[in-house]
Amino acid sequence: MGLRSNGHSICSAESGISTRLAMQTEIEVFKHAIEAAPQCDEPTMTFLIGIDGVMVVAVGPERA
């Protein structure tokens, strides 16, 4: 509930969680993020939306 995008909470205490199949573009973004992330023993997350207050390292397709 603490995560915000453009000043808006991305969920509330009443929010439900549901799943859906990823779109092909989302799959490609996720795979690219995993490949671009430095090796780390900590969890790595990929957000498909902007998260306020999070430093983002964006790697465009031209760097792949």
Side-chain angles (χ1 to χ4, degrees):
M1 291 186 301
L3 294 177
R4 299 178 86 65
S5 181
N6 294 317
H8 302 281
S9 180
I10 63 171
C11 68
S12 70
E14 294 81 31
S15 295
I17 297 177
S18 61
T19 60
R20 63 169 173 78
L21 294 176
M23 294 183 285
Q24 188 60 40
T25 54
E26 293 169 333
I27 293 169
E28 291 168 12
V29 167
F30 179 79
K31 286 181 179 179
H32 187 71
I34 294 298
E35 292 168 2
Q39 289 290 331
C40 177
D41 291 335
E42 298 296 319
T44 300
M45 301 172 102
T46 300
F47 291 94
L48 300 175
I49 60 172
I51 302 295
D52 297 349
V54 174
M55 179 182 281
V56 175
V57 177
V59 179
E62 66 280 356
R63 289 186 171 177

